[in-house]
Amino acid sequence: MEILNNPSCCKHTILSHPELVEGTKDGTELYNHCLRLANGKVSVKCESEDLPEFNSLKSALRKHLRYMQTKSNYILSCLFFVLSAKYTCAQQPIDSVQQIDTVKILSHKEENGAQCLVAVYKTPDVTAFYSRSDVGEALQQFTSVQINSYGLGNTSSISVRGANDDHTNVYWNGLKINSLTLGGTDMSLIPFESGDEIVVETNNTSLGGAVNINSKPNWRNKFDLKVRSDISSFDNYRNSLSFKIGNSKIQFHTTAFYHNAKNNFTYTDVYKFNNPIDTANHNALKSAGTVNTVFIQLKKQVFISIGSWYQQKDKELPAIMGSNGESSKFQKDKSIRHFINIDKTISKGDMHLALAHSYDEMKYTDKRMPTDTFLFINTHYITNRISNSFFINTNFKYHLSLQTGYFYNINMADVKEYVKKVTDHIGEVFANLKWKQEQFAASVKITQPFSSFKYVRPQFFAEAGFETKKQEKKYAVNISYSDKYRFPDLNDRYWNPGGNPNLKPEFGWTVNLSNGFHTYKNRHSFQTNVSLYYSNIKNNIVWTPVTNVIWSPKNLKSTRLYGIESDAIYSFTQSDKFYVYLKAIYNFNRAQITEDANNADLNGHYLRYKPQHTFKTNFYIEQKYAGIGFNYNYTSTRFTDEENIDFFELKPYHLLDVYLTFKGTIKEQHQLQFIFKINNITNTSYESVRSYAQPQRYYSLSFIYNFLKLHK
Amino acid sequence: MQKHFILVAISIAFLISCQKESNNNVDNYIESGSALIVNEGGYTRNNGSISYISRDNQVVNNIFEKSNNGQIVGDVLQSFTRVGNIGIICANNSQKVIFVDARTFKQVGEITTGTDYPRFALGVTTDKAYITNGSSSGTVLVVNMKTFAVTKTINVGDGPEEMLLSNGKVFVANSGGFGTDNKISVITTTTDAVVSSITVADNPGEMEKDAQGYLWVLCKGNVTYPAPTYAPVRLSAAKLVRINPSTNTIDRQIEIIPSTADYSAADNLAVSGDGSKLFVCVDDKVYQLSYTATALPATPVISRLFYGLDVHPFTGEIWGLDAGNFNEAGKIIRYNSNAQAVDSFKVGIIPNAVYFNL
């Protein structure tokens, strides 16, 4: 697992595959590369979530679905590997801050067809020490993104820089995987095995930001087998198997996982009189899935990647805290996704063609009372998304290049509440002119969105950057302006009753100023990044009652988001003997209502679930075969209603996880690793989403076996 | 000069803090003529609350939390009732009934079993209360107000809601819950047993007693949400039904929404202090009826959507409860007895009912 820090791109990336960064050049060079060639900006930040807002039962359902999770059937069989091996410990090579191939990311994002080089700094498998099952957990721990979770194994939503979850786009190899019906993304449904790297960025046309989960080949790989088994408190078992095989022309990756958990943890119920200790019942989950990818490198500079992702998850949904009854809510989610991406180098640049499809199904049922014989809520969503994009990048004289292209999505939904099956067409055409010199870079981009239902004016993006280098020290600065917009989601437009086909898109703009500094000397590496941003969003869509039983969405609000994102990373490596890694992230964010067409009293109030301060620290120290580390997370007060009533705010919390690692090798190619982790060691009682219990102290044990063979 | 400035600053700070404190310094929530507002809060958000509005119009929100060291009262508060000096709060999604000292609002008891869907409470005597419970097969819990224990469970119809006490009998409106019912159960308070059942119209839920002692029942009619549109469709008429409590018979029926009408809602039955005027919300308008009326007036007195409605028993003011967008604080909008808007107060999230201290 790698952490990618791209100071100039301002992207925080997590690489789950160390092989990607092996055998590389000097890290300093990589950094320079990045500074010169990156065209993004960014970082990550606080999330919050739109919590369910209901009144009538119908509205309750409509909004609640945003945060529900699913349960599903299991098609994949359980993979549980108990490996016992006699091994001899040997010194484990530690190649932190060792440089290797730069990873060229051809961005397939619909709003940004640009290329970007990302520097890779290899660290020990830091993120792996976090007993993780999904991408959301890792993002929360190692980036400035804010994840709001409905409890262990339950739905979680993402927010970047204080924007709502439906303002943040999530892509898998260029395919947008946000819910078509609700707009947001349930991060708990994205397993860690879904990609090789995760890049979080904010400099695009989505209102909040974007998370890109990408699959990457290592052309030197001959055979790579990895088996991982995690056992945690509350009968929580997660097993995964992955192998990668290939040569310099073709690489095949496959991974499968199975997760089974009761998650019947105890917690302090602060909503009950005298705050008794309660147990989270009806909280079990089962999920299974497989992700397969083939990478082919043809002659004539053609690179093809083809992938598929199948997954099911069945989930019991627990009762809220304070409730004295049992829950009978279930959710089942199923996803099938495919993509094919073709990249070709041409005489004066390169081109990219992508075609992808996703099928998503969600069933949510609630009997309300376990003894009821009828389903109080029974909802079934089926959606399909077909995505196509193309762009061509041409280099000209005078350090100029022009990128032009389009993306096009066909969105289809079969939802009984829509009355009929619906199909929407949306897309963009764009042109991006870039200028890059030794120390300066600038670009201007014009995008024209189109849709089958609303016109959106052309979107404008501009940025300029400067970087300087003196021996081992580098400094970079970048300033940008970006228009942003979001089309209403399908529920907003088609839900019956109440859907509003006349909704306008949400739109806004962001200005961003980023600074990055890096120094690297004598095995010591230090880098720091600071970004200031200001965003304004208008036409926010809000569901409001039009009668006592019918709600309808309207463009009612304007909001502003501003703040500072900062991080600092220090690492020290002494060959294979000693390694230290320390990362600190601090974010300040203000997310406020600037105008509410229905209630002027709300002007200036803070948005729900947006902490003003977050502070995260990751520390790890390792000597030879053993290491110790911790992850610390501070999240400040969050309001849970727009009135900002202090009695209902969520209190700040501090979370500390501590872990120990032991590792060794057998005949150099067989690597074994054990991780023992104490989660929430201070036994803190806290809430991420109001009313939903989180586990206090619990334990996890992970076992990882890796067999790796590289081509010479 | 600097000293003066500091003195002025300290004085201002003192005045501001005094002003805030005065809002929180109510130590008796049973002042005659004052009101308690039930704010149900957002579903699953545990942000229900009780607001207090004194006779001289001071508003204190979150009085339960203030009196119980920040302890949250519950999720989706349905109702508040006072029996002597004990207040009863039904929190339906928390599946509990809370008992407070009505003067201080400190919690003194709680029932968490047999309360899967608690709705309304009624003081039968100062020692005994009834609580309706259930979204389908319903019960009435008989509660000892000294020990806060359930002493008996009475089976009634489906989805029992409001109750009225008259002539030693308690009339229970069986609303059907999430289904349909059309009966009023009659319980005698001496034996706590159902002695009779009155068939009214579909989905009776709210009841008031008029100046002559008749019981008025608001029957909302049967409404379904059929596929494929899931838009509401009315299957039976909404009616006001008048019951003679002495004979347990229907005395009068007023159709307020015909069964053939496009969907519209009937809700929020209220009565003036002297029992001479009835108020009901139909299709987002408020209509006023005399207790002698035989039909719904053609013209509403107020044209506005309210989530709850009540009438001050002393002043005759109409209190309309506006839940706003259901995320923000709701409002009480007061109208004089001529239905002219007078003023408004900001209260808690999703206000749904008013309890007036007599």
Side-chain angles (χ1 to χ4, degrees):
Chain A
M1 170 72 64
E2 310 303 321
I3 296 182
L4 261 183
N5 283 295
N6 177 354
S8 110
C9 284
C10 296
K11 291 180 178 175
H12 296 241
T13 304
I14 296 171
L15 274 184
S16 60
H17 293 259
E19 62 273 25
L20 286 175
V21 290
E22 299 206 72
T24 185
K25 304 184 261 180
D26 175 85
T28 310
E29 271 184 46
L30 290 174
Y31 184 78
N32 291 336
H33 243 125
C34 183
L35 290 185
R36 281 197 299 273
L37 301 174
N39 71 340
K41 185 93 298 150
V42 185
S43 340
V44 200
K45 187 119 199 173
C46 310
E47 133 69 48
S48 94
E49 155 54 350
D50 248 352
L51 298 187
E53 24 207 66
F54 338 131
N55 166 27
S56 70
L57 295 173
K58 290 293 278 185
S59 332
L61 166 63
R62 178 166 47 244
K63 285 295 172 184
H64 197 56
L65 290 176
R66 193 176 295 242
Y67 310 103
M68 293 301 177
Q69 271 190 334
T70 306
K71 197 174 164 177
S72 43
N73 317 313
Y74 311 108
I75 290 182
L76 295 176
S77 57
C78 167
L79 299 169
F80 186 79
F81 300 90
V82 178
L83 298 179
S84 59
K86 197 174 171 184
Y87 68 96
T88 53
C89 287
Q91 282 190 339
Q92 179 76 1
I94 300 171
D95 35 12
S96 61
V97 199
Q98 166 188 332
Q99 283 78 35
I100 40 174
D101 299 328
T102 51
V103 179
K104 185 176 184 180
I105 297 176
L106 283 170
S107 171
H108 311 311
K109 299 181 294 298
E110 54 197 25
E111 63 280 274
N112 178 6
Q115 291 186 46
C116 176
L117 286 176
V118 177
V120 178
Y121 295 86
K122 187 173 182 184
T123 67
D125 211 3
V126 175
T127 51
F129 301 156
Y130 196 69
S131 175
R132 75 286 194 271
S133 60
D134 62 63
V135 165
E137 286 183 18
L139 288 174
Q140 171 71 357
Q141 199 63 55
F142 298 102
T143 72
S144 55
V145 161
Q146 177 74 12
I147 299 289
N148 285 336
S149 165
Y150 281 68
L152 196 61
N154 284 311
T155 299
S156 58
S157 63
I158 183 170
S159 170
V160 177
R161 292 183 166 183
N164 290 338
D165 65 332
D166 54 7
H167 291 165
T168 302
N169 292 338
V170 181
Y171 299 91
W172 176 66
N173 289 297
L175 171 67
K176 188 174 175 180
I177 57 174
N178 291 53
S179 164
L180 281 174
T181 53
L182 301 167
T185 307
D186 180 354
M187 300 303 289
S188 74
L189 292 177
I190 305 176
F192 218 80
E193 291 83 359
S194 57
D196 299 307
E197 69 173 21
I198 305 163
V199 181
V200 181
E201 59 174 338
T202 58
N203 233 6
N204 54 27
T205 53
S206 58
L207 290 166
V211 175
N212 302 286
I213 301 158
N214 300 321
S215 305
K216 296 289 169 189
N218 171 18
W219 298 109
R220 290 183 58 212
N221 176 62
K222 189 171 187 181
F223 186 80
D224 181 3
L225 171 69
K226 186 176 281 183
V227 177
R228 176 167 180 150
S229 184
D230 298 286
I231 302 170
S232 303
S233 306
F234 329 123
D235 292 333
N236 203 318
Y237 305 100
R238 193 172 195 283
N239 303 287
S240 64
L241 166 69
S242 68
F243 73 86
K244 303 177 179 182
I245 188 167
N247 53 36
S248 60
K249 301 293 180 189
I250 183 167
Q251 287 284 332
F252 173 68
H253 295 184
T254 186
T255 184
F257 65 91
Y258 176 78
H259 188 190
N260 183 15
K262 285 187 179 172
N263 286 334
N264 52 348
F265 57 85
T266 56
Y267 60 93
T268 303
D269 193 335
V270 295
Y271 293 95
K272 285 186 176 172
F273 194 49
N274 289 332
N275 301 344
I277 301 297
D278 259 344
T279 301
N281 294 316
H282 197 75
N283 198 26
L285 71 85
K286 287 182 182 176
S287 69
T290 178
V291 181
N292 301 282
T293 320
V294 178
F295 305 95
I296 304 166
Q297 196 133 248
L298 300 176
K299 290 178 181 177
K300 298 181 182 177
Q301 309 273 6
V302 176
F303 171 63
I304 300 173
S305 54
I306 303 170
S308 70
W309 172 4
Y310 173 83
Q311 170 179 306
Q312 289 202 135
K313 184 176 181 182
D314 287 10
K315 180 79 185 72
E316 296 174 345
L317 305 179
I320 58 168
M321 287 197 283
S323 171
N324 291 288
E326 295 293 318
S327 167
S328 55
K329 301 182 178 79
F330 292 90
Q331 188 167 322
K332 296 184 176 193
D333 286 295
K334 179 179 173 182
S335 297
I336 303 170
R337 296 170 178 136
H338 316 278
F339 75 87
I340 175 166
N341 293 329
I342 302 171
D343 297 287
K344 179 172 170 41
T345 302
I346 55 177
S347 60
K348 288 186 176 178
D350 55 69
M351 54 186 281
H352 170 78
L353 174 67
L355 186 64
H357 165 255
S358 69
Y359 167 91
D360 294 286
E361 186 176 352
M362 192 273 280
K363 288 182 182 174
Y364 172 69
T365 60
D366 182 9
K367 288 202 292 186
R368 197 174 189 289
M369 304 292 169
T371 52
D372 284 349
T373 55
F374 62 93
L375 290 174
F376 176 66
I377 296 174
N378 183 11
T379 292
H380 189 188
Y381 286 8
I382 295 176
T383 60
N384 280 276
R385 176 189 268 126
I386 297 171
S387 175
N388 168 230
S389 64
F390 173 79
F391 65 78
I392 186 164
N393 193 47
T394 310
N395 298 316
F396 299 102
K397 291 179 179 176
Y398 311 113
H399 309 288
L400 287 170
S401 67
L402 177 67
Q403 187 177 62
T404 54
Y406 73 89
F407 88 87
Y408 173 51
N409 274 7
I410 304 172
N411 301 330
M412 294 166 281
D414 182 2
V415 178
K416 57 188 180 185
E417 284 80 3
Y418 291 178
V419 182
K420 60 178 183 180
K421 291 181 182 177
V422 300
T423 303
D424 273 355
H425 302 261
I426 63 170
E428 284 179 351
V429 292
F430 65 87
N432 189 2
L433 181 65
K434 299 181 212 173
W435 173 75
K436 288 175 187 167
Q437 233 196 7
E438 187 73 9
Q439 289 187 312
F440 297 93
S443 71
V444 178
K445 183 180 178 185
I446 298 286
T447 301
Q448 177 58 64
F450 60 85
S451 76
S452 54
F453 49 95
K454 280 286 177 199
Y455 169 78
V456 175
R457 68 164 175 79
Q459 304 289 296
F460 179 72
F461 169 84
E463 73 170 343
F466 166 79
E467 66 97 3
T468 180
K469 174 190 170 188
K470 263 190 180 177
Q471 294 174 337
E472 290 87 10
K473 294 178 183 174
K474 300 100 195 170
Y475 171 74
V477 62
N478 179 293
I479 186 165
S480 68
Y481 169 88
S482 178
D483 283 340
K484 292 171 183 269
Y485 76 98
R486 183 183 82 92
F487 287 120
D489 59 50
L490 296 181
N491 276 9
D492 291 333
R493 301 180 55 235
Y494 294 109
W495 188 272
N496 188 298
N500 183 354
N502 298 316
L503 279 174
K504 298 173 191 166
E506 298 176 331
F507 66 89
W509 52 267
T510 296
V511 288
N512 187 89
L513 174 66
S514 290
N515 295 270
F517 173 76
H518 182 222
T519 179
Y520 179 78
K521 191 175 183 182
N522 298 335
R523 301 172 184 269
H524 295 272
S525 171
F526 175 78
Q527 66 183 65
T528 182
N529 305 289
V530 179
S531 293
L532 290 84
Y533 59 90
Y534 185 97
S535 294
N536 212 327
I537 303 173
K538 294 185 182 301
N539 279 349
N540 282 269
I541 296 169
V542 180
W543 282 75
T544 57
V546 290
T547 73
N548 265 344
V549 293
I550 296 176
W551 288 43
S552 185
K554 293 175 185 168
N555 297 103
L556 284 180
K557 272 197 176 70
S558 296
T559 55
R560 70 168 164 238
L561 319 169
Y562 63 95
I564 300 170
E565 284 180 338
S566 61
D567 64 48
I569 303 169
Y570 167 78
S571 65
F572 172 76
T573 305
Q574 186 181 9
S575 180
D576 52 358
K577 293 178 183 172
F578 185 69
Y579 176 75
V580 177
Y581 176 87
L582 176 64
K583 179 175 184 179
I585 301 169
Y586 169 74
N587 300 310
F588 167 76
N589 172 262
R590 278 202 169 155
Q592 292 174 297
I593 298 168
T594 50
E595 185 183 353
D596 184 301
N598 279 355
N599 186 353
D601 290 350
L602 296 182
N603 296 352
H605 283 210
Y606 295 106
L607 298 178
R608 294 176 292 150
Y609 291 97
K610 318 293 182 193
Q612 284 199 35
H613 305 277
T614 51
F615 180 69
K616 302 174 185 180
T617 304
N618 313 120
F619 173 75
Y620 181 66
I621 184 168
E622 182 182 86
Q623 188 161 24
K624 291 189 177 178
Y625 318 118
I628 186 169
F630 69 80
N631 300 320
Y632 168 77
N633 184 340
Y634 167 76
T635 302
S636 68
T637 301
R638 291 135 293 149
F639 291 109
T640 63
D641 58 78
E642 290 170 353
E643 209 60 46
N644 295 174
I645 298 170
D646 53 2
F647 281 108
F648 303 138
E649 69 187 23
L650 295 181
K651 302 289 181 272
Y653 63 82
H654 304 261
L655 288 182
L656 179 63
D657 302 335
V658 177
Y659 54 85
L660 300 169
T661 68
F662 306 93
K663 56 187 180 183
T665 61
I666 306 171
K667 295 181 181 174
E668 295 191 355
Q669 290 177 327
H670 301 269
Q671 298 177 1
L672 292 168
Q673 190 171 34
F674 290 93
I675 305 161
F676 174 67
K677 187 173 176 208
I678 306 173
N679 301 275
N680 191 2
I681 194 169
T682 55
N683 211 28
T684 300
S685 174
Y686 71 103
E687 289 168 87
S688 178
V689 174
R690 186 172 176 80
S691 306
Y692 289 87
Q694 297 286 351
Q696 294 179 224
R697 184 186 303 120
Y698 70 100
Y699 307 92
S700 57
L701 184 64
S702 300
F703 167 77
I704 301 167
Y705 165 76
N706 188 205
F707 174 80
L708 177 64
K709 206 168 181 180
L710 298 175
H711 288 288
K712 293 181 181 176
Chain B
M1 184 63 190
Q2 196 175 7
K3 279 182 182 176
H4 287 255
F5 176 76
I6 291 169
L7 279 174
V8 169
I10 291 172
S11 304
I12 290 170
F14 181 73
L15 286 172
I16 289 170
S17 65
C18 282
Q19 194 177 356
K20 274 190 176 173
E21 190 58 31
S22 69
N23 263 354
N24 298 335
N25 204 22
V26 178
D27 56 4
N28 184 350
Y29 296 111
I30 60 172
E31 178 191 33
S32 180
S34 64
L36 294 154
I37 314 300
V38 179
N39 307 294
E40 66 184 41
Y43 178 64
T44 73
R45 292 196 196 169
N46 267 314
N47 59 7
S49 65
I50 305 284
S51 300
Y52 175 76
I53 302 177
S54 68
R55 204 165 45 194
D56 59 353
N57 300 330
Q58 279 196 68
V59 180
V60 186
N61 290 315
N62 295 93
I63 61 174
F64 181 91
E65 288 75 16
K66 285 173 179 165
S67 300
N68 291 277
N69 298 319
Q71 179 69 47
I72 299 299
V73 60
D75 192 50
V76 188
L77 303 193
Q78 180 61 38
S79 64
F80 173 84
T81 301
R82 208 180 95 204
V83 181
N85 285 333
I86 299 296
I88 305 174
I89 303 166
C90 295
N92 77 44
N93 202 45
S94 296
Q95 302 181 316
K96 67 180 178 183
V97 176
I98 300 160
F99 300 91
V100 296
D101 183 322
R103 294 163 295 190
T104 62
F105 253 75
K106 282 195 182 300
Q107 180 165 338
V108 293
E110 188 176 69
I111 298 174
T112 57
T113 54
T115 51
D116 59 336
Y117 197 62
R119 305 296 289 173
F120 293 89
L122 173 77
V124 177
T125 67
T126 53
D127 294 336
K128 183 166 78 176
Y130 286 175
I131 296 169
T132 52
N133 180 72
S135 58
S136 51
S137 299
T139 55
V140 170
L141 309 176
V142 182
V143 178
N144 181 325
M145 291 299 289
K146 299 295 181 196
T147 62
F148 309 121
V150 176
T151 58
K152 186 176 181 180
T153 301
I154 308 166
N155 292 323
V156 290
D158 286 358
E161 296 269 313
E162 291 190 1
M163 296 172 283
L164 271 182
L165 177 62
S166 181
N167 299 330
K169 295 183 286 189
V170 169
F171 294 79
V172 183
N174 298 302
S175 71
F178 299 123
T180 305
D181 201 333
N182 60 1
K183 291 187 173 56
I184 303 294
S185 299
V186 184
I187 299 171
T188 177
T189 59
T190 51
T191 61
D192 300 323
V194 175
V195 292
S196 179
S197 174
I198 306 166
T199 300
V200 286
D202 283 344
N203 298 69
E206 300 179 43
M207 292 192 291
E208 296 291 352
K209 191 189 287 187
D210 72 13
Q212 294 178 311
Y214 288 108
L215 309 185
W216 287 83
V217 184
L218 173 60
C219 301
K220 300 179 181 180
N222 188 10
V223 175
T224 62
Y225 299 83
T229 68
Y230 296 88
V233 172
R234 179 168 289 282
L235 298 179
S236 61
K239 295 179 179 177
L240 279 172
V241 177
R242 197 171 82 167
I243 293 174
N244 182 334
S246 303
T247 60
N248 296 346
T249 55
I250 294 175
D251 174 75
R252 183 175 299 172
Q253 292 192 55
I254 299 174
E255 185 174 85
I256 53 178
I257 303 174
S259 61
T260 54
D262 287 341
Y263 178 73
S264 55
D267 214 348
N268 300 323
L269 179 64
V271 67
S272 60
D274 61 4
S276 65
K277 296 176 195 167
L278 293 164
F279 297 84
V280 65
C281 295
V282 179
D283 198 15
D284 309 330
K285 297 178 183 67
V286 180
Y287 292 86
Q288 177 183 311
L289 300 83
S290 162
Y291 70 109
T292 59
T294 56
L296 192 72
T299 310
V301 290
I302 302 169
S303 292
R304 181 167 179 153
L305 168 66
F306 290 120
Y307 195 61
L309 186 84
D310 219 320
V311 180
H312 198 289
F314 300 157
T315 65
E317 292 164 333
I318 304 163
W319 290 38
L321 281 61
D322 181 354
N325 70 3
F326 290 76
N327 288 317
E328 63 202 31
K331 278 189 266 186
I332 301 285
I333 300 164
R334 294 202 302 190
Y335 298 82
N336 62 23
S337 53
N338 296 320
Q340 303 299 312
V342 176
D343 53 16
S344 66
F345 304 98
K346 189 190 273 193
V347 288
I349 296 169
I350 316 182
N352 73 359
V354 185
Y355 179 87
F356 291 107
N357 282 310
L358 300 177

